[in-house]
Amino acid sequence: MEAVLHHRHGSKAAAPGLIVRSENGVVDEDLDGTDTNKTGWNLVYLHIAVAGSVPVGKWVNRNDRIGHPACVGGYETGTHLHFVRKYNGEWIQPMVPFPLC
């Protein structure tokens, strides 16, 4: 999977999926379409501006705009985006091997 696009036109979805949360700077995308962030794979985009962010219930495709990076959800010194993977509701650490079997 390619990295999330983040530039002056906003952040874009890294993969197709259903938006199951969009509030307080967090956009949560369910990749298996089960309408939950508790099962299967989810992608979580953090520090997304509330104004103009993609609404809950919308299906997005890869490269669809999800919103603009912002300084939302904590104490930041500049606009940025955090991108997290979750599997069955658990955050997957970026540098830790993850067995699929």
Side-chain angles (χ1 to χ4, degrees):
M1 180 181 317
E2 293 181 25
V4 176
L5 298 175
H6 166 200
H7 53 74
R8 62 189 167 113
H9 298 294
S11 295
K12 297 186 178 183
L18 180 67
I19 303 302
V20 294
R21 180 178 177 200
S22 184
E23 63 183 0
N24 299 327
V26 178
V27 173
D28 195 336
E29 179 185 1
D30 173 30
L31 300 185
D32 60 13
T34 58
D35 197 20
T36 181
N37 60 6
K38 303 292 184 204
T39 61
W41 286 99
N42 283 66
L43 300 179
V44 183
Y45 309 84
L46 300 154
H47 305 292
I48 299 293
V50 174
S53 65
V54 65
V56 171
K58 180 174 176 63
W59 181 268
V60 294
N61 291 305
R62 185 176 170 270
N63 289 330
D64 283 354
R65 188 177 163 283
I66 59 164
H68 283 284
C71 296
V72 177
Y75 299 100
E76 293 86 18
T77 58
T79 298
H80 67 286
L81 169 77
H82 289 185
F83 179 66
V84 178
R85 301 170 298 155
K86 288 182 9 183
Y87 184 70
N88 289 338
E90 298 294 324
W91 291 49
I92 305 300
Q93 297 297 322
M95 301 307 287
V96 176
F98 182 71
L100 294 175
C101 358

